[in-house]
């Protein structure tokens, strides 16, 4: 086992001590884009603009988070720049000492906004970047001209001394251009984070057209093999918690509800009526999540991927499994990513080419 870095020790200690060291603050679900895959764009449980917390309420929440030990704060949406008080909230987050990142679509980042972000003291900016092909990009956002607007924003941020980190989920609409987009970003020195774990909307996976699986996913991974960096098994503890949600991470949505993560289907509490520390300490929803661990997924313990597989309870639950039983789709995803990255071979898992459940 490799010696953990200081950062890894910090995260591990936060999880052991149940310190919410990292929080995602979703300021609004309003957005200029209408992305076909977006989990925040609809559903009866999603608050609209009338339900959004006021400025004072968010500032009080920031104080509560600071008192609870939060260090990393990501300000997100929707599109957070749509809030009239965005700059006040951002300045106050930085002033409180949070290591603050902003996650934006980039659509509203004009020259003035780029300069203000660069001068704000934020640790970084993440921008959704779906494809280097303008037509594909606009097909994902369903907003004509969005590629040109976002590209201009990226260049403005870089010129202002705050080069953004680019992020994209992989879906059917952009999959054919993923390898080209990766090369496009690499040639410009832009960090590019890709997530193959596309979450279906609340209610499950049935007839969700954008999520890739099986042979289609394998083909995309094969084209991107040169960029894949699998998890290091010597950095993983097979008895560790499944993920950070509820241990050292949570989400606060625009209406003030606390969630273990953005993809959980049951809120942990409501900050309009409760204090954050009470929700974090006493929520039954978080308590149930904290009882989960990698060791409990007994069907996975004999698998060659046990130490490197990204085992997300929420993704499993959304794709036909549960929080404690890995879905067939989640199992295939872990195996296909590992095979494409050269971590394992088909012989390691006894795979015969069938993309069915390996459990």
């Amino acid at each position: 086992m490799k010696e953990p870095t200081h950062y890894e020790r910090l995260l591990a200690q936060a999880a052991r001590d149940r310190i919410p060291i990292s929080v995602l603050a979703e300021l609004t679900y309003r957005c200029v884009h209408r992305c076909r895959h977006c989990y925040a764009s609809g559903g009866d449980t999603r608050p609209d603009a009338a339900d959004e917390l006021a400025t004072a309420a968010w500032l009080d929440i920031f104080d509560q988070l600071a008192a609870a030990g939060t260090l990393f704060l990501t300000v997100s949406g929707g599109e957070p720049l749509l809030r009239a008080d965005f700059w006040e909230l951002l300045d106050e987050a930085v002033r409180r000492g949070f290591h603050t990142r902003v996650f934006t679509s980039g659509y509203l980042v004009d020259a003035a906004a780029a300069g203000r972000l660069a001068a704000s003291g934020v640790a970084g900016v993440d921008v959704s970047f779906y494809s280097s092909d303008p037509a594909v990009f606009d097909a994902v956002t369903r907003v004509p001209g969005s590629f040109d607007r976002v590209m201009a924003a990226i260049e403005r941020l870089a010129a202002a001394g705050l080069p953004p980190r680019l992020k994209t989920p992989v879906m059917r609409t952009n999959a054919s251009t993923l390898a080209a987009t990766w090369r496009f970003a690499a040639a410009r020195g832009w960090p590019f984070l890709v997530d193959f774990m596309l979450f279906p909307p609340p209610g499950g996976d049935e007839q969700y057209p954008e999520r890739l699986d099986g042979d289609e996913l394998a083909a995309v991974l094969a084209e991107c093999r040169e960029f894949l960096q699998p998890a290091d098994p010597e950095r993983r503890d097979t008895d560790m918690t499944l993920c950070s949600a509820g241990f050292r991470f949570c989400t606060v949505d625009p209406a003030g509800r606390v969630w273990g993560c953005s993809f959980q289907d049951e809120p942990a509490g409501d900050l309009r009526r409760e204090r954050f520390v009470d929700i974090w300490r006493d929520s039954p929803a978080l308590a149930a999540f904290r009882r989960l661990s990698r060791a409990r997924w007994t069907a996975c313990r004999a698998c060659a991927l046990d130490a490197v597989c990204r085992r997300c309870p929420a993704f499993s639950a959304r794709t036909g499994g549960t929080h404690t039983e890995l879905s067939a789709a989640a199992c295939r995803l872990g195996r296909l990513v590992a095979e494409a990255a050269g971590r394992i071979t088909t012989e390691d898992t006894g795979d015969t080419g069938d993309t069915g459940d390996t459990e």
Side-chain angles (χ1 to χ4, degrees):
M1 180 72 70
K2 291 182 180 178
E3 185 68 21
T5 65
H6 174 66
Y7 178 66
E8 289 169 336
R9 287 195 297 269
L10 176 67
L11 296 183
Q13 187 66 48
R16 285 193 296 269
D17 293 345
R18 305 291 192 268
I19 297 172
I21 195 171
S22 180
V23 173
L24 173 67
E26 297 177 320
L27 302 184
T28 180
Y29 283 138
R30 291 175 287 142
C31 192
V32 289
H33 291 161
R34 302 188 303 276
C35 296
R36 59 182 63 245
H37 65 284
C38 183
Y39 73 90
S41 62
D44 293 339
T45 63
R46 299 298 178 185
D48 59 25
D51 297 321
E52 290 178 7
L53 294 172
T55 307
W58 271 114
L59 296 180
D60 180 59
I61 289 171
F62 289 171
D63 288 336
Q64 293 183 55
L65 296 177
T70 300
L71 174 60
F72 304 101
L73 183 70
T74 299
V75 177
S76 181
E79 174 48 69
L81 273 72
L82 281 172
R83 283 190 61 121
D85 61 356
F86 168 75
W87 296 108
E88 179 181 358
L89 292 176
L90 182 64
D91 289 343
E92 289 297 320
V94 173
R95 186 179 69 80
R96 282 163 171 76
F98 295 119
H99 183 276
T100 308
R101 296 193 68 89
V102 175
F103 192 3
T104 173
S105 68
Y107 193 89
L108 299 178
V109 179
D110 57 15
R116 194 163 182 180
L117 282 167
S120 68
V122 297
V125 174
D126 295 339
V127 174
S128 298
F129 190 73
Y130 300 113
S131 177
S132 57
D133 184 319
V136 172
F137 192 106
D138 290 3
V140 173
T141 65
R142 295 190 281 204
V143 174
S146 58
F147 173 85
D148 292 336
R149 290 279 296 253
V150 173
M151 275 293 298
I154 293 168
E155 291 168 354
R156 290 183 187 117
L157 287 165
L162 190 65
R165 184 171 61 182
L166 311 186
K167 300 171 71 173
T168 188
V170 180
M171 66 196 84
R172 181 161 280 107
T173 300
N174 68 359
S176 64
T177 64
L178 181 61
T181 302
W182 225 322
R183 294 187 184 97
F184 179 85
R188 289 157 178 78
W190 297 344
F192 186 48
L193 303 183
V194 174
D195 194 350
F196 292 96
M197 192 175 286
L198 187 71
F199 277 79
D205 200 29
E206 186 176 359
Q207 295 181 338
Y208 184 56
E210 287 296 336
R211 189 176 66 78
L212 295 172
D213 199 355
D215 292 342
E216 288 181 308
L217 177 58
V220 173
L221 286 165
E223 292 180 357
C224 298
R225 183 174 286 117
E226 64 186 286
F227 303 106
L228 298 176
Q229 296 181 348
D232 186 342
E234 294 191 37
R235 290 287 192 199
R236 301 296 292 269
D237 177 356
T238 56
D239 291 324
M240 66 187 274
T241 56
L242 285 164
C243 73
S244 62
F247 287 89
R248 53 180 172 84
F249 171 82
C250 69
T251 295
V252 180
D253 77 12
R257 294 177 299 182
V258 177
W259 305 75
C261 77
S262 299
F263 303 106
Q264 289 295 303
D265 295 325
E266 180 184 358
D270 188 342
L271 289 170
R272 293 185 191 270
R273 297 187 291 271
E274 306 166 84
R275 302 296 290 173
F276 177 81
V277 67
D278 296 327
I279 296 171
W280 183 257
R281 183 188 61 222
D282 301 329
S283 166
L286 294 182
F289 207 74
R290 289 166 183 156
R291 288 193 291 269
L292 302 176
S293 72
R294 296 175 67 89
R296 289 176 179 264
W297 293 54
T298 54
C300 303
R301 295 308 297 270
C303 178
L305 300 181
D306 184 50
V308 297
C309 180
R310 181 181 173 189
R311 209 162 309 171
C312 175
F315 183 74
S316 182
R318 288 276 181 94
T319 55
T322 69
H323 290 110
T324 58
E325 296 179 3
L326 198 65
S327 69
C331 185
R332 284 192 296 272
L333 175 64
R335 177 174 56 80
L336 289 171
V337 170
E339 288 175 0
R343 173 61 67 196
I344 61 168
T345 66
T346 55
E347 288 77 13
D348 291 324
T349 56
D351 183 51
T352 60
D354 178 21
T355 56
D357 191 357
T358 60
E359 295 180 0

